[in-house]
């Protein structure tokens, strides 16, 4: 997975090392674990929120499908009841 991300960004080892070195210089060795933890928590919250949105969308789609199937079933039932109730007129 990491390899595919790096290929997508077209970043090699030298570029990655330069970025990591710049981050180390800017924030220091003691702040890096805090930053990584905060980034991990943020990514987890984002994933949870997006999963919640997906669940809500699927729940609404299923509710609409259930309503449509109930409406279609009730329509078929009413039509069959109407056909059985009509007396046949023989001329």
């Amino acid at each position: 997975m990491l390899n595919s991300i790096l290929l997508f960004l077209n970043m090699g080892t030298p570029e990655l090392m330069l970025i990591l070195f710049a981050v180390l210089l800017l924030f220091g060795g003691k702040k890096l674990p805090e930053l990584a933890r905060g980034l991990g928590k943020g990514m987890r919250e984002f994933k949870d929120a997006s999963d919640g949105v997906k669940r809500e969308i699927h729940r609404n789609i299923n509710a609409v499908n259930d309503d449509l199937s109930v409406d279609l079933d009730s329509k078929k039932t009413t039509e069959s009841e109407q056909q059985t109730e009509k007396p046949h007129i023989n001329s």
Side-chain angles (χ1 to χ4, degrees), residues 21-87:
F21 182 71
V23 169
L24 184 62
L25 282 178
L26 287 173
F27 297 107
K30 293 183 180 183
K31 285 281 188 182
L32 284 181
E34 289 178 34
L35 291 172
R37 233 178 274 117
L39 182 64
K41 285 181 183 178
M43 289 173 62
R44 188 178 329 118
E45 288 176 11
F46 180 77
K47 183 182 175 209
D48 291 344
S50 65
D51 286 344
V53 169
K54 286 178 190 176
R55 268 193 305 271
E56 187 66 28
I57 289 171
H58 287 294
R59 186 179 307 131
N60 287 334
I61 288 172
N62 290 337
V64 168
N65 286 341
D66 291 345
D67 288 346
L68 285 176
S69 65
V70 167
D71 289 345
L72 290 175
D73 290 342
S74 65
K75 185 177 180 181
K76 287 178 184 177
T77 308
T78 351
E79 287 176 355
S80 65
E81 287 173 357
Q82 288 175 353
Q83 288 176 354
T84 57
E85 290 176 2
K86 291 181 182 177

